[in-house]
Amino acid sequence: MTEGVALLTVFVLSAFTGYEVISKVSTTLHTPLMSGANAIHGVILIGAILVTGRARDTVELWVGLVAVFLATLNLVGGFVVTDRMLDMFRARTPARSPRRHG
């Protein structure tokens, strides 16, 4: 019971801290921060794989598989957002005018 309360306390404090940090970031820096944070979720994916590997019953296995799926989705989404963000800073080539023959 004490361990559960400690884990719940850490979860609530983490959620509060995350909300406060993200709400204070300007909109200009929000996309790079979020894409970087999503890419760091590779650590969560490794943790989910390790926990799923130690599953003892079917419920733990399904919860682990859902965690692996969501972590993978978040990791891939982080890289997609980063790619879209970096695409905004690439130089655009002017459109070619059609050649006129004749």
Side-chain angles (χ1 to χ4, degrees):
M1 181 70 178
T2 305
E3 183 179 335
V5 171
L7 290 174
L8 182 64
T9 304
V10 169
F11 176 75
V12 169
L13 288 176
S14 299
F16 179 74
T17 303
Y19 177 77
E20 286 297 317
V21 168
I22 294 300
S23 66
K24 302 286 189 273
V25 173
S26 69
T27 55
T28 312
L29 295 176
H30 191 263
T31 302
L33 177 68
M34 292 308 296
S35 64
N38 286 338
I40 291 174
H41 279 96
V43 175
I44 295 173
L45 176 61
I46 292 171
I49 291 171
L50 290 176
V51 169
T52 304
R54 294 184 177 189
R56 293 186 206 138
D57 60 4
T58 307
V59 174
E60 289 178 359
L61 181 65
W62 278 106
V63 170
L65 290 175
V66 168
V68 169
F69 175 73
L70 292 176
T72 303
L73 203 63
N74 203 9
L75 180 68
V76 171
F79 283 114
V80 169
V81 168
T82 301
D83 187 50
R84 288 185 66 192
M85 180 190 69
L86 291 176
D87 196 36
M88 293 188 311
F89 295 106
R90 289 190 183 118
R92 304 269 185 237
T93 57
R96 291 184 174 179
S97 62
R99 288 187 153 184
R100 296 183 183 182
H101 297 284

